[in-house]
Amino acid sequence: MHYTELGFVNSKVMFEVAVKDKFAVPAFNFNNMEQIQAIVMGCVEAQSPVILQVSKGARAYANPVLLSWMGRGAVEMMKSYAKEKGLGEIPMVLHLDHGDTFETCKECIESGFSSVMIDGSHHSFDDNINLSKKVVEYAHQFDVTVEGELGVLAGVEDDVVAEDHVYTQPAEVQEFVSRTGVDSLAIAIGTSHGAFKFKPGQKPQIRMDILKEIELKIPGFPIVLHGSSSVPQDAVAMINKYGGKLEDSIGIPEGQLFEAAHSAVCKINIDSDSRLVLTAHLRRVLAENPAEFDPRKYLGPARDAMTAMYKEKCEKVLNSAGKAPAIMAALKK
Ligand code: G3H
Ligand code: 13P
Ligand code: ZN
């Protein structure tokens, strides 16, 4: 099944408009129906483009076939929700996050994904290039866009734990991009995966200096930031108030992401914030209503809170709110 039959678009035009209009497209991970619904509703309300992301872990959890059907349903859900609200439709990408092998990328492309990431960042420079190039050559036959990665983020990513950052070297990006043919590049400049990025008191700082150097080497090329959750402190406090035991931690300050979104950064990945908000509201409802056993009663408030969070990210952090109409118009040309 080709992604166009399902109503998805690839990321090409989205990123062209994002570079020109200085915003970043939100890339939100999902594992279940409530997350998809919240992403779709939040982004339609914000009139923001969106990239729906599926990790290897999400495919294993939800079953690849079921998950890809859920992704397909998202476009129909978007259309009916937009109509109900009297709002315009928004462009949507279905993206494989951290694809680790050629075979996984191929499988996703065959099942209707419009974009894939091949993450060869744990390989040597040459092996990363060879693997990424192979995926690009296959994906481009179907007009599927490909994200590559150079540099290693600290934190937990699927089963891999990296203790330290290996910042992307600006001297390598031009060669990587031209030899692989990737459509966008994920870089490591101080963000990290997961909810435990920095201890309170530490001063998180995205290396904007490295980003600027990279921009100079590949002007106008779409850059991707992974590990960009901000770890909302009210959600962490709510989790701990209602029986959770999360270590105190802080994430990437939203002001720094706002600044990055106004640069060559075209895609910002957020997953952990959604997990935290969902867990916080689930714990609150169950703690306050210990006799409750109807999933709609405890998942509903969590879904509402996630919807509000996604909308706010578009409006206040990524500058992507209100950008859907321009992308829809550019796609029609
Ligand atoms: O990069 C990691 C994403 O947050 C996906 O996480 O592999 O636990 O689904 P996951
Ligand atoms: P967070 O863990 O910061 O949400 O990052 C998610 C991510 O990069 C998915 O690829
Ligand atoms: Zn990531």
Side-chain angles (χ1 to χ4, degrees), residues 29 31 55-58 97-98 156-158 193 226 271 275:
N29 291 67
N31 296 277
S55 70
K56 185 175 135 193
D97 190 28
H98 295 284
V156 188
E157 178 185 302
D158 276 321
H193 287 113
H226 283 246
D271 184 359
R275 299 177 183 197

Side-chain angles (χ1 to χ4, degrees), residues 29 53 97-98 192-194 197 226-229 269-272:
N29 291 67
Q53 293 201 140
D97 190 28
H98 295 284
S192 54
H193 287 113
K197 300 185 195 300
H226 283 246
S228 297
S229 277
N269 288 11
I270 295 171
D271 184 359
S272 300

Side-chain angles (χ1 to χ4, degrees), residues 102 117-121 123 125-139 146-149 176 179-182:
F102 171 80
M117 173 185 193
I118 178 66
D119 181 355
S121 61
H123 297 297
F125 185 64
D126 278 320
D127 288 351
N128 188 357
I129 287 183
N130 292 336
L131 177 60
S132 306
K133 188 168 186 279
K134 186 174 172 191
V135 171
V136 168
E137 280 168 0
Y138 180 78
V146 180
E147 173 183 327
E149 177 165 344
F176 184 83
R179 281 177 61 192
T180 56
V182 291

